[in-house]
Amino acid sequence: MSIDYVMMGTSNLERSSAFYDAVLPCLGGTLDTVIPGYGFSYLFRNGTRLWVAPPYNREAPLPGNGIMPGLRCATRAEIDAAYAAAMTHGGTDEGPPGLRPLYGPTFYGAYVRDPDGNKMSFVHDESSH
């Protein structure tokens, strides 16, 4: 099994676009699809997409408790750049870049929330390459 896409809910497409347009290219993501008035998606090296759109049911977007996509990065430098971009473009810190020995001796990650409160991690583990 592999993940085809992850959907991040937003209450403000313009604000989310500014955030994700700054962060996701740091991770090798390229803007793939824009549907005016609906949302947009970024395509990653492995073919996975990250969509950002208001919830389909038109209810308020609510971050899930315990839901967090982990975005695999090619290098620690990608993580550092994505984290810096997130902090500059309306994100909030949930754990700055650094080693996380709990997950393994070479596991390096950072944790942020987007402007709508959706949590995500940027991860690189040299032992998995």
Side-chain angles (χ1 to χ4, degrees):
M1 182 193 86
S2 63
I3 302 291
D4 185 67
Y5 68 90
V6 172
M7 178 71 79
M8 303 298 265
T10 185
S11 62
N12 184 316
L13 279 170
E14 186 175 312
R15 180 186 64 200
S16 288
S17 179
F19 177 83
Y20 287 103
D21 288 350
V23 173
L24 297 183
C26 297
L27 309 177
T30 56
L31 186 61
D32 180 58
T33 304
V34 176
I35 301 173
Y38 173 74
F40 57 91
S41 74
Y42 269 82
L43 179 65
F44 291 91
R45 294 177 281 252
N46 66 353
T48 303
R49 285 183 172 78
L50 188 143
W51 276 93
V52 179
Y56 189 74
N57 66 4
R58 299 176 193 220
E59 305 250 341
L62 300 172
N65 185 24
I67 298 172
M68 178 183 67
L71 306 176
R72 184 177 291 167
C73 301
T75 65
R76 292 180 182 188
E78 281 188 2
I79 293 170
D80 296 343
Y83 176 84
M87 294 301 95
T88 303
H89 291 87
T92 54
D93 174 47
E94 287 285 323
L99 288 169
R100 302 298 196 276
L102 174 65
Y103 307 125
T106 61
F107 189 98
Y108 188 88
Y111 301 83
V112 302
R113 289 190 185 267
D114 74 5
D116 284 289
N118 297 302
K119 188 174 181 182
M120 68 193 75
S121 63
F122 311 132
V123 300
H124 176 74
D125 188 354
E126 291 160 6
S127 67
S128 66
H129 296 285

